[in-house]
Amino acid sequence: MSIPHLTTPCLLIEQGRLRRNLARMQETADANDVALRPHVKTHKSVALAERQRERGAAGLTVATVEEAAAFVEAGAEDVRVAYPVTGRDKHEQLAALRDRARLSCTVDTAAGAEQAAAVHSVHDRPLDVLMEVDVGHGRCGVPWTDATAATRLARRIVDLPGLRLAGLLTHAGQAYDGPDGDESEAAALRRVARHERDRMLAVAAGLAEAGVPGVARDDFEISVGSTPSMAAFENAEHAGFRITEIRPGNYVVHDAMQVGLGAASLADCALTVLTTVVSVKERPDGPDRAFVDAGKKVFTTDTGYDTDGHGVALRDAATMSPRPDLRVVRLSEEHGWLNEPDATALSVGERLRIVPNHACVCIATQARLHVVDGTTVVDTWPVARGV
């Protein structure tokens, strides 16, 4: 099949760019002596996860227990839920998977740890949990600056039956904020990556100094990673501890947000939305507009640092050259609104390829991914929707 035969809107993944992205992140992990545990919430694809494993990935990261179940069902043997799992129902789902795979999750409160213990204490082996640390994002996690709180929670986890404190985990979501003041994009990525690394190592060292059982320099996981912070990641040692694991997700395809942050170039973006112009309107009271058949249910409404509108329209997908005069300025449920100085240059029925702002949300709305090489569709991968 060739691209012109596909029904729009649909998602395309360029095979060559995908392979380069997979290779580069595995090289980053190998060069820094860390395990790569990719976050599969970006692609939700069993086939793509298998390609990550073939290149050296050590286990998978997921965001939900439902995602964990989907990938264990497909044969994954080591799955980490990088989320503070709460509720007896979810822990019972997790427990049901443990005969088929190694499962782990995070906790960031004593109440969450106690809920986990109430379910997993009846099993023969403890559940590995990682204490989540907030290194500056301001979301979940024990603040890295609060040594007392970190030590208290770590001791509570250790004391509870059915749990094993396996390590620490963080997500430096502040990497998506972009530069401060006159800082360059590259400098901002280096700053966040350094903070993420050093703050986690400091927390681990503090737990060891406080004598928390199980916090051993040769057997304690320290897990970090977002795609932008990994663009500047360099491992280091502090008090005998090193980062042991990275968990980027978006790197497999990248998107316009990563380009804006300086974590990738447009040429690295493997994912595009193939869409069709359905209407063109001349407007005497404003810029001409064209409308395409991909709206909020395909593109995300997310915007980020240095993004312009809701995606990057391409003039030539082979060279990934943008069309700077064409902007996705608004989204309805089924329509993308495009402005340009002369939108009548577009024709009804014409097809466009657009790099979305946020690949993870974009993929989650779709049923399949079409893998392409040039104009040829070489494979079609189902997306695990609804998980």
Side-chain angles (χ1 to χ4, degrees):
M1 183 184 292
S2 63
I3 291 175
H5 291 97
L6 294 173
T7 298
T8 65
C10 64
L11 303 186
L12 310 180
I13 292 185
E14 209 289 325
Q15 181 174 248
R17 294 188 183 95
L18 172 67
R19 288 173 174 171
R20 288 196 296 274
N21 293 340
L22 295 178
R24 286 171 184 163
M25 192 59 73
Q26 189 62 57
E27 289 166 3
T28 294
D30 294 344
N32 286 280
D33 192 26
V34 294
L36 172 60
R37 183 187 290 273
H39 208 315
V40 297
K41 73 176 179 64
T42 293
H43 57 73
K44 292 177 176 282
S45 164
V46 170
L48 212 167
E50 178 61 20
R51 281 152 181 79
Q52 291 173 308
R53 187 197 66 79
E54 289 170 354
R55 287 190 175 271
L60 302 176
T61 303
V62 298
T64 68
V65 176
E66 289 77 11
E67 281 182 352
F71 282 90
V72 169
E73 181 68 28
E77 297 178 346
D78 189 344
V79 179
R80 174 155 294 156
V81 186
Y83 198 89
V85 176
T86 56
R88 188 174 188 89
D89 58 334
K90 289 187 173 63
H91 278 294
E92 287 177 344
Q93 293 175 53
L94 209 58
L97 298 171
R98 293 181 60 202
D99 289 336
R100 302 164 63 186
R102 181 190 176 207
L103 273 294
S104 56
C105 70
T106 70
V107 296
D108 77 333
T109 62
E114 289 158 6
Q115 288 182 23
V119 173
H120 298 285
S121 59
V122 302
H123 293 271
D124 293 336
R125 64 186 189 282
L127 173 72
D128 282 353
V129 298
L130 290 87
M131 186 172 75
E132 187 166 354
V133 178
D134 177 9
V135 293
H137 184 33
R139 197 171 63 182
C140 296
V142 179
W144 75 276
T145 53
D146 195 339
T148 300
T151 300
R152 183 169 56 245
L153 179 56
R155 289 191 184 278
R156 183 61 180 141
I157 294 168
V158 169
D159 289 343
L160 285 167
L163 305 182
R164 184 180 83 90
L165 179 61
L168 305 175
L169 178 147
T170 195
H171 170 63
Q174 68 270 33
Y176 285 88
D177 293 342
D180 287 339
D182 295 333
E183 190 179 38
S184 69
E185 286 83 2
L189 294 177
R190 290 194 297 270
R191 168 177 52 80
V192 174
R194 184 178 66 254
H195 286 174
E196 180 181 34
R197 177 197 69 199
D198 294 350
R199 291 171 180 179
M200 288 293 280
L201 295 176
V203 173
L207 295 179
E209 186 176 348
V212 176
V215 184
R217 290 164 178 80
D218 59 348
D219 186 28
F220 195 65
E221 296 186 58
I222 305 178
S223 177
V224 304
S226 65
T227 292
S229 65
M230 288 304 97
F233 175 68
E234 292 183 0
N235 210 346
E237 183 173 318
H238 174 66
F241 290 96
R242 291 174 62 84
I243 302 301
T244 64
E245 174 180 280
I246 59 174
R247 307 181 329 279
N250 189 280
Y251 77 94
V252 292
V253 291
H254 291 297
D255 53 29
M257 290 172 67
Q258 301 297 335
V259 175
L261 292 164
S265 69
L266 202 56
D268 297 321
C269 294
L271 179 74
T272 55
V273 176
L274 179 66
T275 186
T276 300
V277 177
V278 296
S279 183
V280 177
K281 299 295 182 185
E282 295 184 59
R283 300 170 65 236
D285 58 342
D288 294 342
R289 281 207 176 119
F291 300 87
V292 294
D293 62 356
K296 292 179 183 177
K297 292 180 179 177
V298 179
F299 293 107
T300 171
T301 57
D302 289 355
T303 58
Y305 172 79
D306 204 31
T307 57
D308 184 14
H310 299 284
V312 178
L314 300 176
R315 186 180 303 280
D316 183 351
T319 61
M320 296 300 284
S321 57
R323 187 167 178 164
D325 58 340
L326 190 62
R327 296 177 59 244
V328 186
V329 295
R330 182 176 171 185
L331 300 173
S332 304
E333 286 190 52
E334 312 293 350
H335 299 79
W337 301 45
L338 277 57
N339 276 6
E340 70 166 342
D342 181 13
T344 55
L346 296 174
S347 303
V348 172
E350 184 176 348
R351 291 186 164 196
L352 302 172
R353 286 174 67 174
I354 300 173
V355 177
N357 279 353
H358 191 177
C360 309
V361 182
C362 185
I363 291 173
T365 68
Q366 301 304 296
R368 62 192 62 84
L369 301 168
H370 299 288
V371 185
V372 300
D373 182 5
T375 61
T376 302
V377 180
V378 297
D379 211 343
T380 299
W381 296 338
V383 174
R385 298 179 70 190
V387 300

